[in-house]
Amino acid sequence: MRREDFPILKQQVHGKPLVYFDNAATSQKPQCVIDAISEAYTTWNANIHRGTHHLSQVATAKHEEARQILADLIGAKQSKEVLFTRGTTEGLNMLAFSFGEAFVGEGDEIIVSGLEHHSNIVPWQMLCERKHAMLRVIPLREDLSLDMNAYKQLLSPRTKLVSVAHVSNVLGIQNPVEQIIRLAHEQGIPVCIDGAQSAPHIPVDVQAMDCDFFVCSGHKMYAPTGIGLLYGKENWLSQLPPYQGGGEMIQHVRWEGTTYNELPYRFEAGTPDYVGSYAWGVAAKYMQECGMAALAAHEQDLTAYAEQQLGQIAGVKIYAAGQKKVGALSLNVYDAAGKLVHPFDIGALLDQQGIAVRIGHHCAEPLMGTLGVVGTVRISFGMYNTREEIDAFIAALQRALSILLS
Ligand code: PMP
């Protein structure tokens, strides 16, 4: 892969070559994306949509071209089904608010799964509190996969929406989203897929998947921070009330009342991050040039190799061991007496050796409860990572453990 395109990776940290294994939190940016931001502010910056002047028209065209590029990337039928957000979190909050206003009432139920990120839990809890509805949770089986029989039992006429992660940000395992969607659709229930950890790593086709909503974040996909998307099928989006009021989302504003703009503008109040959307478009094209299938195969090789190498270190426990992983895996280490080595200590000693991993609950406290730990060590990959970096990580982990277990 094109590692040399990422200038940040050329540096040393604590005198050691940087090994960046925190891609599930955010990815690094290729030079073309960094240049795109600079180009925007150097040559065509102007507020979009409302201007008749040249720069405004250029900026508007760039923003709308980016919408089309992203619609193509995720397989949306029409670009107006792609709403720009600040990220996955905002997309889920938008949906919880708008969908909740239109369709959720007292006694209704929303279903999520037991391995969700807080972003796909808390907005639904807030909605349930507001509407006196109930949040139901698909439990996990022993192997940490979703208990699909329990899911079937949870689906009922009270269920208004199902919202589940495509790929777990902690375990890296892929949920059977096609089956989840088919079972919900058999009862006329829409499904939202949290694609924060799938869209950066595997080809996504929202039409083939047949999800009703899909959310993801640009910053995990080689694009800048502050831009994301909420995809929704037109027939659903057109039934939802706006999330925020302000400029651009209106048709006419009168003291007697306001009429709203058409899709997608109805959901994009205020000045959008048009430089971010443009740079995301550049990042998406970059990913497509690399080839999504090639990216997926490369990262699949890295996760399998890392799991195999980690399996040779005494005391290492890999979660969802042996299952196919997308871009990330979580582990803990236990000493000879079976006591947990605190992930924080491992993270700090890895950092001293130039290795960036994430430790903690990964915004998935309920899952940590199921695993029975305070946190894990998570390593997560991007297109630029290599087997050699995994070797360096393994050696660094062994050094860390020799200190911690001595
Ligand atoms: N869902 C999942 C599965 C995630 O991994 C993340 C980011 N860690 C989010 C939601 C939230 O994404 P963001 O912080 O970009 O809004």
Side-chain angles (χ1 to χ4, degrees):
M1 290 291 149
R2 298 146 75 170
R3 188 182 170 86
E4 66 283 1
D5 292 345
F6 294 79
I8 202 169
L9 299 176
K10 295 179 183 138
Q11 69 185 289
Q12 300 216 324
V13 168
H14 302 306
K16 299 275 169 23
L18 167 64
V19 172
Y20 185 76
F21 281 175
D22 195 17
N23 293 280
T26 200
S27 65
Q28 301 301 349
K29 320 303 171 199
Q31 191 63 51
C32 61
V33 170
I34 299 168
D35 290 346
I37 299 166
S38 169
E39 174 217 313
Y41 287 118
T42 312
T43 58
W44 53 259
N45 176 54
N47 207 335
I48 61 168
H49 291 314
R50 290 173 289 272
T52 48
H53 62 81
H54 172 72
L55 290 187
S56 176
Q57 285 170 7
V58 173
T60 304
K62 302 261 188 209
H63 184 63
E64 293 308 325
E65 277 163 24
R67 196 191 302 279
Q68 185 62 57
I69 292 168
L70 288 156
D72 292 343
L73 186 78
I74 62 165
K77 196 166 167 187
Q78 337 169 55
S79 67
K80 66 179 174 183
E81 294 175 320
V82 170
L83 315 179
F84 282 119
T85 65
R86 283 196 301 123
T88 302
T89 304
E90 190 178 57
L92 289 166
N93 277 278
M94 266 170 82
L95 187 63
F97 176 83
S98 293
F99 187 90
E101 283 308 294
F103 293 109
V104 180
E106 190 167 345
D108 287 340
E109 295 180 357
I110 306 287
I111 297 178
V112 297
S113 90
L115 50 64
E116 298 306 320
H117 187 281
H118 296 162
S119 294
N120 199 25
I121 299 174
V122 184
W124 305 114
Q125 287 179 322
M126 289 161 68
L127 163 65
C128 288
E129 212 171 305
R130 214 167 57 239
K131 295 284 181 172
H132 305 288
M134 281 276 292
L135 190 63
R136 308 301 299 265
V137 184
I138 310 168
L140 304 184
R141 294 191 308 194
E142 194 72 10
D143 67 356
L144 302 176
S145 64
L146 301 190
D147 183 337
M148 293 300 283
N149 285 329
Y151 171 57
K152 284 181 206 158
Q153 303 297 315
L154 285 175
L155 288 168
S156 84
R158 288 185 300 278
T159 313
K160 291 297 172 232
L161 184 96
V162 177
S163 188
V164 291
H166 199 174
V167 168
S168 160
N169 69 309
V170 176
L171 308 170
I173 54 177
Q174 199 170 332
N175 287 323
V177 287
E178 279 84 1
Q179 200 190 347
I180 290 170
I181 293 165
R182 187 170 39 75
L183 288 166
H185 283 182
E186 277 169 11
Q187 303 193 34
I189 301 162
V191 179
C192 171
I193 299 299
D194 174 351
Q197 298 297 345
S198 60
H201 303 292
I202 54 175
V204 167
D205 185 336
V206 289
Q207 285 188 78
M209 207 193 303
D210 202 23
C211 58
D212 303 277
F213 303 99
F214 184 90
V215 283
C216 60
S217 298
H219 71 94
K220 295 181 199 286
M221 302 170 69
Y222 311 104
T225 52
I227 188 85
L229 67 81
L230 164 61
Y231 156 85
K233 284 182 183 164
E234 182 183 8
N235 73 323
W236 278 113
L237 290 181
S238 59
Q239 295 180 66
L240 302 186
Y243 173 54
Q244 291 185 326
E248 197 54 40
M249 51 76 71
I250 52 91
Q251 201 170 39
H252 292 293
V253 178
R254 308 275 184 262
W255 293 123
E256 301 73 44
T258 289
T259 50
Y260 302 129
N261 206 339
E262 59 194 18
L263 288 176
Y265 312 111
R266 195 145 58 88
F267 292 97
E268 293 182 359
T271 301
D273 183 4
Y274 52 83
V275 175
S277 62
Y278 169 65
W280 193 6
V282 171
K285 285 213 147 150
Y286 181 82
M287 288 177 83
Q288 284 167 324
E289 276 165 28
C290 295
M292 285 308 299
L295 288 188
H298 174 65
E299 291 166 12
Q300 161 92 65
D301 174 67
L302 293 177
T303 45
Y305 181 67
E307 184 158 345
Q308 183 209 336
Q309 295 300 309
L310 281 163
Q312 288 166 25
I313 304 179
V316 168
K317 177 183 171 62
I318 294 166
Y319 294 97
Q323 294 180 54
K324 186 179 153 196
K325 300 191 178 60
V326 177
L329 66 81
S330 260
L331 62 108
N332 265 313
V333 183
Y334 291 85
D335 67 15
K339 190 163 160 280
L340 178 73
V341 180
H342 201 292
F344 184 87
D345 294 333
I346 295 177
L349 288 173
L350 288 174
D351 177 58
Q352 286 307 311
Q353 301 176 74
I355 304 201
V357 301
R358 186 142 296 238
I359 53 97
H361 56 56
H362 316 294
C363 297
E365 283 192 317
L367 174 58
M368 293 300 124
T370 305
L371 300 180
V373 288
V374 285
T376 71
V377 178
R378 180 184 70 188
I379 54 173
S380 55
F381 305 115
M383 64 163 80
Y384 33 68
N385 290 125
T386 63
R387 278 185 171 221
E388 290 70 36
E389 288 182 301
I390 292 171
D391 294 339
F393 159 73
I394 295 286
L397 179 62
Q398 278 168 327
R399 275 193 290 273
L401 295 179
S402 69
I403 296 167
L404 293 169
L405 297 175
S406 61

